Amino acid sequence: KMSKAWWKSSVIYQIYPRSFADSNGDGIGDLNGITEHLDYLKKLGVDVIWLSPIYKSPNDDNGYDISDYQDIMTDFGTMEDFDRMITEMHKRGIKLVMDLVVNHSSDEHRWFLESKKSKDNPYRDYYIWKDPKDGKEPTNWGACFGGSAWQFDETTGMYYLHCFSKKQPDLNWENPAVRDEVFRMMTWWCEKGVDGFRMDVISMISKDPAYPDGEIKDGLHGDMSPYVCNGPHVHEYLQEMNKRVLSRFDLITVGETPGVTTEEAKKYANLDGSELNMVFQFEHMGTTDGKYGKWTTRKPEMKKVRAVMNKWQTELEGKAWNSLYWDNHDQPRAVSRFGDDSPMYREISAKMIATCLHMLKGSPYIYQGEEIGMTNAYFKSISDYRDIEAINAYKEYTESGLMTEEEMLNCLKMISRDNARTPMQWDDSANAGFTTGTPWISVNKNYTQINAKAALEDKDSVFYYYQKLIRLRHQYEVIVEGVFHGLLEDNDDIYAYERTLGNEKLVVACNFTNKEVSCELFEENEGEELITNYKNHVAGALQPYETRVILYK
Ligand code: TEU
Ligand code: CA
């Protein structure tokens, strides 16, 4: 049953199937495309693959709107393709994590089609229905993808809650029948050999029963997050999930928990295994300090990112487990956001930010393409965008006059989720080898220089650097278990820290700037240099974007 916590030393690779590899020329990635590229991931050395949702979906939010939890999305293939894919993954010793999206379903799910039929339908309370208040929406909450979080339904004259798009009605977790359905479905996937779950917005499944209005912080609607994140019963529901499903299988579990604090994380990701293994926090993404929510062109400041990361490292020590990430399918590309994607510094800074993340305590996540230093797409026109979040926000902010089209386009270039969703760049052939057809979203123009084939042929590529980082985590216990301690915590340029385990001490230094900075951190001629992105280190200094990891015993 529970072998030694294999998940603690695992490196997880996230695939966004729609954009990974198209095997049948329809311009859309699919499961057979993934199966055809498993040897590439085996070479990289990852232990686990997390797939963004692959279930039946109308794709209003690219699969995060599920219409059948136990069947495969038509665009992605068949259940036979799934069975072949998981068999091939397990043959290579790679585990599979599925994306569990149960805060909401699609409005095309049979449960919702029943629920909306009448007030006394047996499925009515699978969702959250409210009467109008003073003739309008029950609260002033804004949905994450624009407009009100409430949609009026003529048939029964009531509103239903949708924290995301209108086609993503929130499930009512207070209803034990909903919990039974979810736990039964999860068990079904575990019995098919799935090795874990990434749980979409799982901090949102218990709402504040008072449904109060929120503060207007984005210039348009009330902020619902205090009333839908970390709600009154969320830990109760997760402990029930753990008892009825998770504890019965040898799984890795990660909760995506918007609004999570370190205090809450100590419950969600506690070390006694009564809830989940770890959670994704969002503080280091700095997506809440824009004038209009996330819509800003500002890059996060290293000092702020370091303060957040170091807080999470120290406050969870001995109490809970961290996840570690710079990007995913909802975030811009790591090297564009936290590094420097100019031709001169793209590779060296990609290696530096990777070192900074992978030497921390917790489970590191690699998002598809991050391992070859893929960059933001910087689309010039709104017609290039496909993401419902981008399209709706562009419309809402320009039509309300709060932002001009140019201002909104500049924000989208920096922070839109589509930056991470352009096709994986396999080689320098047409469409980067992603498809022989027309890709559902444009390929990044720089694919002729940035692609997996070129990376595999260059021993100094970002790919082989990630391969080395993964090997180090598998080889050195101090990287998995060492206690974190921040260094130089008021330095403007260098992010440095140490990890100690017994008599071993790992010292990590990362120059986040494009200038040479002095650094007296290392006893230069002692210790074992585990990894560096520079061949010729200058004692007492760090070159632009230089990083070094020295092990002292
Ligand atoms: O994301 C939840 C979430 O918090 C996002 O809305 C995130 O805050 C936002 O995208 C940042 O701009 C999850 C999935 O990862 C996302 O792809 C889905 O769109 C969303 O839930 C709804 O399922
Ligand atoms: Ca396809």
Side-chain angles (χ1 to χ4, degrees):
K1 209 163 78 68
M2 285 298 287
S3 60
K4 180 182 173 308
W6 50 268
W7 53 270
K8 283 184 85 172
S9 56
S10 291
V11 177
I12 302 99
Y13 187 92
Q14 181 194 358
I15 289 178
Y16 193 69
R18 196 169 195 83
S19 307
F20 190 68
D22 169 23
S23 69
N24 64 349
D26 65 359
I28 300 170
D30 46 53
L31 300 191
N32 289 335
I34 294 169
T35 304
E36 286 165 9
H37 289 84
L38 290 177
D39 287 334
Y40 168 79
L41 297 177
K42 185 67 191 162
K43 188 179 186 75
L44 181 59
V46 297
D47 306 285
V48 179
I49 292 173
W50 150 31
L51 296 186
S52 277
I54 59 173
Y55 320 93
K56 274 246 181 312
S57 164
N59 285 305
D60 190 55
D61 183 18
N62 286 357
Y64 283 92
D65 49 317
I66 295 167
S67 55
D68 183 342
Y69 286 95
Q70 294 178 230
D71 200 354
I72 301 300
M73 187 192 300
T74 312
D75 284 344
F76 289 169
T78 65
M79 191 56 83
E80 290 69 36
D81 296 332
F82 171 84
D83 293 339
R84 180 168 44 255
M85 178 189 69
I86 194 170
T87 302
E88 289 303 316
M89 285 178 178
H90 287 166
K91 254 190 222 162
R92 292 167 175 79
I94 297 175
K95 292 177 183 282
L96 172 61
V97 161
M98 297 282 269
D99 207 317
L100 184 76
V101 188
V102 289
N103 169 69
H104 47 272
S105 75
S106 164
D107 66 347
E108 298 182 25
H109 195 290
R110 62 182 173 76
W111 297 338
F112 190 73
L113 298 178
E114 284 301 316
S115 180
K116 63 187 284 193
K117 273 181 184 164
S118 68
K119 292 185 184 178
D120 57 3
N121 183 288
Y123 287 90
R124 185 67 175 180
D125 288 340
Y126 271 46
Y127 295 88
I128 298 169
W129 295 92
K130 295 269 175 228
D131 287 316
K133 199 169 87 179
D134 310 328
K136 55 191 190 45
E137 290 83 1
T139 71
N140 69 351
W141 299 353
C144 283
F145 300 149
S148 163
W150 299 93
Q151 175 63 27
F152 188 68
D153 173 63
E154 298 291 339
T155 315
T156 57
M158 294 176 80
Y159 286 88
Y160 65 84
L161 176 67
H162 61 86
C163 292
F164 294 93
S165 88
K166 293 182 176 34
K167 288 180 67 62
Q168 294 171 291
D170 281 60
L171 284 161
N172 172 21
W173 272 73
E174 289 189 12
N175 182 348
V178 168
R179 302 202 298 273
D180 289 347
E181 296 270 15
V182 170
F183 300 156
R184 183 155 25 83
M185 173 269 290
M186 293 175 71
T187 303
W188 186 82
W189 282 107
C190 291
E191 283 166 353
K192 278 183 71 73
V194 159
D195 304 291
F197 295 101
R198 175 266 187 186
M199 300 185 193
D200 192 60
V201 294
I202 202 69
S203 59
M204 293 170 66
I205 58 176
S206 170
K207 275 71 174 177
D208 178 337
Y211 285 92
D213 274 348
E215 185 194 346
I216 297 183
K217 291 162 71 172
D218 65 0
L220 291 165
H221 302 282
D223 173 18
M224 65 181 160
S225 47
Y227 313 110
V228 303
C229 295
N230 310 311
H233 302 292
V234 69
H235 297 291
E236 201 182 303
Y237 297 153
L238 284 176
Q239 284 156 27
E240 183 186 357
M241 179 194 285
N242 188 293
K243 270 196 200 69
R244 293 176 58 180
V245 186
L246 306 181
S247 57
R248 295 176 43 230
F249 299 91
D250 189 7
L251 305 174
I252 180 169
T253 56
V254 51
E256 187 216 21
T257 46
V260 69
T261 60
T262 49
E263 280 322 299
E264 280 297 313
K266 291 173 193 168
K267 300 175 200 163
Y268 286 118
N270 67 63
L271 296 180
D272 62 32
S274 64
E275 293 191 23
L276 306 176
N277 295 144
M278 66 193 98
V279 294
F280 290 133
Q281 56 89 13
F282 289 81
E283 279 183 63
H284 63 307
M285 285 296 162
T287 49
T288 51
D289 53 10
K291 189 173 167 205
Y292 301 120
K294 66 182 275 186
W295 305 113
T296 171
T297 55
R298 244 194 346 275
K299 283 178 67 163
E301 235 186 298
M302 184 277 276
K303 289 188 86 164
K304 273 193 182 169
V305 174
R306 175 179 59 201
V308 167
M309 299 299 271
N310 291 8
K311 175 182 77 170
W312 279 83
Q313 289 283 301
T314 46
E315 293 199 14
L316 267 55
E317 176 56 49
K319 297 198 178 66
W321 191 255
N322 272 297
S323 69
L324 307 167
Y325 73 98
W326 290 136
D327 68 7
N328 57 41
H329 65 292
D330 289 334
Q331 303 297 338
R333 286 283 177 182
V335 71
S336 300
R337 186 155 181 70
F338 297 102
D340 176 339
D341 63 10
S342 66
M344 180 173 194
Y345 291 120
R346 179 182 62 82
E347 292 194 87
I348 193 91
S349 72
K351 294 174 181 177
M352 181 274 291
I353 59 172
T355 312
C356 184
L357 191 78
H358 281 250
M359 292 298 110
L360 287 172
K361 186 164 190 173
S363 300
Y365 287 73
I366 300 171
Y367 178 66
Q368 71 179 44
E370 178 188 333
E371 79 280 3
I372 57 170
M374 277 178 65
T375 70
N376 277 2
Y378 300 119
F379 286 147
K380 295 197 175 8
S381 152
I382 190 63
S383 63
D384 292 322
Y385 288 91
R386 297 289 177 271
D387 177 13
I388 186 169
E389 180 190 59
I391 292 164
N392 287 3
Y394 178 86
K395 187 169 181 300
E396 198 163 28
Y397 279 102
T398 54
E399 288 182 355
S400 65
L402 286 170
M403 272 204 241
T404 65
E405 292 182 355
E406 192 199 2
E407 282 168 342
M408 194 60 201
L409 270 177
N410 287 335
C411 291
L412 291 174
K413 279 181 192 169
M414 287 298 284
I415 199 161
S416 162
R417 307 192 298 181
D418 275 338
N419 281 304
R421 301 177 180 188
T422 61
M424 177 68 189
Q425 292 161 203
W426 292 108
D427 57 39
D428 59 2
S429 72
N431 295 310
F434 164 72
T435 179
T436 55
T438 306
W440 68 278
I441 186 172
S442 301
V443 175
N444 193 319
K445 291 185 176 27
N446 59 24
Y447 76 89
T448 48
Q449 286 87 31
I450 304 173
N451 60 70
K453 180 168 176 284
L456 291 170
E457 290 162 359
D458 167 9
K459 64 177 178 37
D460 291 327
S461 67
V462 178
F463 178 91
Y464 289 119
Y465 193 91
Y466 268 84
Q467 185 189 56
K468 177 86 184 289
L469 285 170
I470 296 167
R471 281 192 186 139
L472 288 173
R473 177 168 291 269
H474 290 157
Q475 197 180 337
Y476 289 87
E477 189 71 3
V478 63
I479 296 173
V480 177
E481 298 292 353
V483 175
F484 170 91
H485 180 71
L487 301 174
L488 305 180
E489 291 192 298
D490 56 2
N491 186 302
D492 289 339
D493 309 317
I494 301 171
Y495 188 154
Y497 57 86
E498 65 189 20
R499 304 281 309 282
T500 50
L501 183 69
N503 65 349
E504 290 193 355
K505 183 172 79 169
L506 195 73
V507 178
V508 181
C510 306
N511 178 2
F512 267 70
T513 76
N514 60 4
K515 54 185 194 296
E516 176 180 309
V517 292
S518 72
C519 172
E520 301 303 334
L521 209 57
F522 299 105
E523 287 103 48
E524 290 301 340
N525 48 11
E526 289 170 33
E528 176 194 357
E529 184 174 81
L530 289 196
I531 195 163
T532 175
N533 62 357
Y534 260 82
K535 300 244 177 317
N536 50 346
H537 172 67
V538 172
L542 289 175
Q543 302 307 310
Y545 300 114
E546 181 175 1
T547 180
R548 292 183 89 206
V549 178
I550 308 287
L551 177 63
Y552 299 99
K553 288 183 177 170

